[in-house]
Amino acid sequence: MDKWLKRFLIVAVLVAVVLALKLTVFKPKPIEVEVQAVSRGLVEETVTNSRAGTVKAHRRAKLSPEYGGMVVELPFREGDRVAAGDALLRLDDRLQRARLRLAEEELQATRAERQRACLAAERAGRELERTKRLASENIISTDLLDEIDSRKRETDAACAATEAAVERAAAAVSVAQTEVDKTVVRAPFSGLVAEVATEVGEWTTPSPPALPVPPVIDVLDPDSIYISAPMDEVDSARIRAGLPTRVTVDSHRDRDFAGTVSRVAPYVLDIEAQNRTVEIEVELTDLEDTVLLPGTSADVEVILSTRQEVLRISTSSLIEGGKVLVLEDDRLAERPVKLGLRNWDFTEIIDGLSEGDLVVTSLDRQEVEDGALAEASSEAVDQPQ
C-alpha cells in the first residue's frame, strides 16, 4: 500500500505541476483587439455619387464676336473682374463706321427732300383753295380747277413718299449702328474673365452653321457656383429636390460644405452601359468667403433620412451576415444584430446589442474570430463621434 500511495502522490504532483504550467508559463496569450463601446448618437442614411462630380457656374458664357475682324483692343485679361456691359473685346470697325456715316448722310438728304416735297404740297394746297374760290365766282374754268386739284394730289403723294424714304433711311442708320455695335463683345453679366483665347492684331472668325469654332473669351460668375454630380441609377427613385447634402471638394479637404439638392435630371444617362447614372445639381448654402474654382472635382453625399439618439456602431465593425464580434470577459463572442439606418461611418442597431457593449473593430486578422481569447488594446476604448 505504501508503494502505491507513493506512486499516486507522485502522479498527483506531476499533474498539478502540468496544470500549473499550463495556467502560467504555457497559458495562451490573449490577442489584442481594438474595440468601441456601443453608444447613442446620430445615424444618417446616405447615398454618394458613383463618379466624381464637378464644380460648375450657373452664369458662364463663352463669347465670340458675331462678325469676323481684326482685334484692336482687349481691355481685360484672365482673372480681371468685369461688370455687366463692360467691353471685353473690340474689332477694327472702320468699315462699319464708314457705312454708318454714309447711312446718316443719306438720312439727312432724304429729310431735306421730304421738307422740299412737303412744302410744295402745302403750296399746292393753298393754290387749290384760291382756285376753288375763283371757280365759285365763275372767274376760272372747271378744267383749270381740276388741273390744280390733280397737282395738289401729286404733291401730297410726293410728300408721303419722302416720309417713307426718311423712315427707310432711318432704318438703314439703325442697321449700320447695329453692325458697329457688333464689333464690340460686352460682358453679359458681372463676373470674372476666365480665359482670353486671342490677342490684339489677331483675326477672329465667327462660327459658321454646323462648324463650331472655339470661343475667344470665357466669362463666369463665381457667385453662381453649384455642384453637378452623377448618382447611380439604383438611387434615382430616392433622391428628390430639397434633400440636404454634404459636399467635399478636392481643393478643401479639411471641411465639408452643406448644400441642398436643387435639381434631379428627368432621365438616366446610358453613355456607359455598365455605369448608368442620373445627374443631380446641388446648391451650396455655406460658402461664405470660400472660393471654389469651376472645374474642380467634388463628391456629394445626399442625406436621405436621419435618426437621433439611437444605438449605433461603426459600420466597419460589421462582419458578413449582419453580425459583430463582442468582447465578453476574456473571450470574443459572435452576435447577430438587427440593423437600421446605415452609412459609411455608422450603422443603427435595433436589436442584439446594449449600450456599453464592446464591439471589435480590428477585424483584419485571421485569429480574430468567435471564441478567441482576447483583451482590449492598452489604448482607451474608442467612442463613436
Side-chain angles (χ1 to χ4, degrees):
M1 288 295 296
D2 292 340
K3 183 179 179 180
W4 285 105
L5 181 59
K6 289 179 180 180
R7 289 180 179 179
F8 176 77
L9 292 175
I10 291 172
V11 171
V13 170
L14 290 175
V15 171
V17 170
V18 171
L19 290 175
L21 289 174
K22 288 185 66 175
L23 294 175
T24 56
V25 178
F26 298 107
K27 179 182 179 181
K29 185 178 180 180
I31 58 174
E32 287 193 353
V33 292
E34 295 178 4
V35 294
Q36 284 182 343
V38 178
S39 62
R40 293 188 177 274
L42 171 68
V43 178
E44 301 170 333
E45 183 182 15
T46 62
V47 292
T48 58
N49 48 288
S50 58
R51 289 181 288 111
T54 305
V55 178
K56 295 184 178 181
H58 283 297
R59 288 186 293 276
R60 184 171 187 174
K62 298 183 178 182
L63 309 172
S64 291
E66 294 187 40
Y67 295 150
M70 185 177 68
V71 179
V72 296
E73 186 179 358
L74 288 168
F76 301 96
R77 308 302 299 187
E78 288 92 341
D80 290 346
R81 185 169 286 275
V82 296
D86 282 349
L88 306 178
L89 175 147
R90 294 183 185 275
L91 299 178
D92 182 3
D93 61 357
R94 288 175 293 180
L95 177 61
Q96 288 80 5
R97 289 194 177 277
R99 289 173 178 169
L100 175 61
R101 286 196 299 272
L102 178 61
E104 289 173 342
E105 291 174 0
E106 289 180 351
L107 175 61
Q108 291 179 359
T110 306
R111 285 173 174 168
E113 180 63 22
R114 179 189 61 181
Q115 185 177 11
R116 186 191 66 77
C118 292
L119 286 175
E122 292 177 4
R123 185 170 61 250
R126 291 193 296 271
E127 184 178 358
L128 178 60
E129 292 299 322
R130 289 195 300 270
T131 303
K132 286 180 177 180
R133 289 196 300 270
L134 293 174
S136 64
E137 298 174 0
N138 295 320
I139 299 177
I140 62 173
S141 67
T142 304
D143 290 341
L144 180 59
L145 176 63
D146 290 342
E147 180 181 351
I148 294 174
D149 183 63
S150 297
R151 189 184 307 156
K152 171 62 170 61
R153 292 174 182 272
E154 290 176 358
T155 55
D156 285 346
C159 178
T162 55
E163 287 283 0
V166 167
E167 293 180 2
R168 184 171 60 252
V173 170
S174 178
V175 170
Q177 182 62 58
T178 300
E179 290 180 345
V180 171
D181 294 340
K182 287 186 176 182
T183 62
V184 181
V185 176
R186 298 186 180 276
F189 47 78
S190 298
L192 295 174
V193 177
E195 183 180 4
V196 177
T198 189
E199 293 295 338
V200 173
E202 292 183 345
W203 186 274
T204 66
T205 303
S207 177
L211 183 62
V213 174
V216 296
I217 295 180
D218 187 0
V219 181
L220 61 89
D221 180 5
D223 296 327
S224 65
I225 291 298
Y226 73 100
I227 308 297
S228 175
M231 311 298 291
D232 196 290
E233 63 174 335
V234 300
D235 299 320
S236 60
R238 299 192 293 168
I239 301 174
R240 65 182 186 278
L243 287 176
T245 64
R246 276 191 300 270
V247 177
T248 57
V249 182
D250 286 350
S251 58
H252 295 73
R253 284 294 184 182
D254 58 334
R255 62 171 294 190
D256 294 336
F257 296 93
T260 304
V261 176
S262 59
R263 175 182 174 271
V264 180
Y267 58 91
V268 172
L269 292 172
D270 59 354
I271 298 176
E272 299 180 28
Q274 301 303 319
N275 188 22
R276 301 192 179 196
T277 58
V278 59
E279 203 77 13
I280 69 169
E281 294 180 4
V282 174
E283 298 289 342
L284 301 178
T285 57
D286 64 346
L287 272 178
E288 298 176 350
D289 296 328
T290 305
V291 176
L292 298 182
L293 300 179
T296 304
S297 61
D299 291 319
V300 174
E301 189 176 15
V302 180
I303 303 172
L304 302 176
S305 58
T306 61
R307 291 181 184 170
Q308 301 280 353
E309 293 302 310
V310 296
L311 287 179
R312 66 179 188 176
I313 61 172
S314 294
T315 301
S316 60
S317 62
L318 287 172
I319 58 178
E320 190 175 355
K323 300 176 182 178
V324 295
L325 283 177
V326 178
L327 181 60
E328 296 178 334
D329 298 328
D330 296 331
R331 296 284 176 179
L332 298 183
E334 190 175 85
R335 283 196 203 172
V337 290
K338 185 177 180 180
L339 307 178
L341 295 185
R342 61 188 300 179
N343 55 39
W344 290 107
D345 297 319
F346 300 112
T347 297
E348 178 190 8
I349 300 299
I350 297 177
D351 190 25
L353 292 174
S354 301
E355 188 171 359
D357 286 346
L358 299 181
V359 176
V360 177
T361 60
S362 53
L363 302 172
D364 55 347
R365 291 176 294 167
Q366 186 175 1
E367 61 269 23
V368 179
E369 61 182 358
D370 183 33
L373 185 65
E375 64 180 2
S377 63
S378 56
E379 299 178 359
V381 174
D382 293 330
Q383 294 289 339
Q385 299 298 317

